[in-house]
Amino acid sequence: MRQIKPEELQKNPFQMIGKEWLLVAAEKDGKTNAMTASWGGVGIMWGKPVAYVFIRPQRYTKEFIDASDTFSLSVLGEEYRKTLSYFGTVSGRDEDKIARSGLQIAYDGATPYFQEAGTVMLCRKLFAQYYDPACFIDKTCDEKWYPQKDYHMMYIAEIEKVLVD
């Protein structure tokens, strides 16, 4: 993989995040965990290139994101769709998803990512906050997406490095 600047990223973020999906990975206590995400975005915040992702409180990966200063967003090709679906439906509390998936972990410093990815964003957390139900202007979003009131934590992270194949 070669490194590019975040502003050189050519991928369409709507395709990359909403259609191809992301594997969000972080490390805690020497162990890596990851989950599939299809909600998020990229942009500029506080004068920095950022990615933002949303993780529900019951997700095991949230413990890893919270315990680390950094995390990665790996975008894999269509041939990994079944694997991405698996990462989104099985908890790392119950089994070693990474070992069972056959994907290979690489590291940039202490930040894990997946070697099979075509694009990797290496991110450093800047901000985290739970959704506040009082802030929904369109109340149907709250009703549709949060019947259990398990509001996402929003993470905003500086994209420190982008790797592409």
Side-chain angles (χ1 to χ4, degrees):
M1 297 193 90
R2 65 183 173 86
Q3 182 177 338
I4 63 171
K5 295 176 183 174
E7 56 271 14
E8 294 174 324
L9 186 61
Q10 295 294 310
K11 292 194 75 121
N12 177 324
F14 297 100
Q15 181 71 27
M16 180 174 60
I17 299 164
K19 303 284 187 215
E20 294 176 356
W21 304 341
L22 307 168
L23 272 180
V24 182
E27 187 171 279
K28 177 180 108 173
D29 300 329
K31 182 179 177 187
T32 298
N33 196 59
M35 63 174 259
T36 303
S38 61
W39 288 13
V42 295
I44 301 295
M45 190 75 179
W46 304 302
K48 299 172 187 233
V50 298
Y52 47 96
V53 295
F54 307 90
I55 302 177
R56 290 191 193 265
Q58 65 267 37
R59 296 300 298 257
Y60 186 48
T61 303
K62 184 179 178 309
E63 295 177 25
F64 289 72
I65 300 290
D66 289 344
S68 179
D69 291 334
T70 63
F71 61 87
S72 67
L73 302 172
S74 295
V75 183
L76 286 80
E78 184 61 35
E79 66 271 25
Y80 293 99
R81 175 64 59 182
K82 193 172 184 178
T83 302
L84 291 167
S85 182
Y86 165 71
F87 269 88
T89 56
V90 173
S91 175
R93 285 186 189 97
D94 301 327
E95 60 187 71
D96 186 344
K97 296 190 294 187
I98 295 170
R100 289 199 63 182
S101 74
L103 297 180
Q104 302 298 312
I105 297 174
Y107 288 89
D108 186 86
T111 309
Y113 67 91
F114 292 94
Q115 290 181 16
E116 293 81 0
T119 303
V120 175
M121 290 175 270
L122 300 160
C123 303
R124 183 179 57 82
K125 291 185 309 186
L126 299 173
F127 179 85
Q129 181 176 334
Y130 278 108
Y131 277 12
D132 178 349
C135 294
F136 281 99
I137 295 166
D138 181 344
K139 301 299 183 195
T140 62
C141 292
D142 187 9
E143 295 161 9
K144 178 180 180 179
W145 297 104
Y146 301 100
Q148 307 299 318
K149 304 303 177 199
D150 56 342
Y151 297 100
H152 285 91
M153 173 75 77
M154 175 183 65
Y155 296 90
I156 299 174
E158 180 178 5
I159 303 170
E160 295 189 310
K161 193 179 288 186
V162 176
L163 304 174
V164 296
D165 63 2

